[in-house]
């Protein structure tokens, strides 16, 4: 599964069951490297989720990782804390929000 397909799958699940998005207003930016260096954003606002390729919104948190590790994270096959501690994930912003993202992703598995 590609990064784009992973985002589409995650966004679809979030928008089909938006109850877990209540009270969340956040923009996450993912700077991914691997086959290609790409930037994606995930925006959660008003009980809706959307993503963009590139930098459309002002992010509150930036995450750097390989595209392979992003796909694992999005499918809850990679623990964000362990990835951060082992250097597989770099966080620019509040680490607590990265952990909240993992918690949010787990609700859509």
């Amino acid at each position: 599964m590609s990064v784009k397909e992973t985002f589409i799958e995650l966004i679809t699940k979030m928008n089909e069951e938006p109850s877990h998005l209540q009270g969340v207003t956040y923009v996450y930016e993912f700077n991914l490297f691997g086959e290609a260096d790409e930037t994606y954003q995930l925006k959660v606002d008003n009980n809706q989720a959307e993503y963009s390729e590139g930098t459309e919104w002002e992010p509150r948190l930036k995450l750097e990782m390989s595209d392979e590790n992003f796909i694992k994270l999005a499918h809850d096959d990679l623990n964000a804390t362990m990835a951060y501690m082992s250097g597989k994930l770099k966080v620019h912003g509040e680490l607590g929000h990265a952990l909240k993202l993992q918690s949010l992703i787990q609700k859509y598995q």
Side-chain angles (χ1 to χ4, degrees), residues 3-15:
V3 170
K4 186 174 182 175
E5 291 169 329
T6 301
F7 268 108
I8 291 169
E9 178 185 60
L10 183 60
I11 296 302
T12 300
K13 288 179 180 179
M14 288 177 160
N15 289 326

Side-chain angles (χ1 to χ4, degrees), residues 43-92:
K43 179 181 179 183
V44 179
D45 191 21
N46 293 321
N47 295 333
Q48 287 192 303
E50 57 185 306
Y51 87 101
S52 74
E53 297 179 50
T55 55
E56 188 172 326
W57 307 291
E58 185 65 35
R60 293 182 59 195
L61 181 72
K62 293 182 181 183
L63 305 164
E64 291 181 30
M65 68 188 85
S66 70
D67 50 8
E68 181 180 313
N69 283 332
F70 168 76
I71 292 168
K72 289 179 182 177
L73 180 71
H75 289 105
D76 199 30
D77 292 330
L78 179 68
N79 181 287
T81 302
M82 296 304 295
Y84 176 77
M85 292 175 67
S86 65
K88 293 179 182 178
L89 168 65
K90 291 186 171 63
V91 177
H92 302 278

Side-chain angles (χ1 to χ4, degrees), residues 10 13-14 17-21 104-109:
L10 183 60
K13 288 179 180 179
M14 288 177 160
E17 182 55 49
S19 63
H20 302 298
L21 304 178
L104 186 63
I105 287 172
Q106 287 172 338
K107 294 174 182 172
Y108 292 100
Q109 297 309 305

Side-chain angles (χ1 to χ4, degrees), residues 9-34:
E9 178 185 60
L10 183 60
I11 296 302
T12 300
K13 288 179 180 179
M14 288 177 160
N15 289 326
E16 286 175 352
E17 182 55 49
S19 63
H20 302 298
L21 304 178
Q22 192 168 12
V24 179
T25 301
Y26 220 81
V27 175
Y28 299 92
E29 184 170 292
F30 300 88
N31 297 312
L32 306 179
F33 55 87

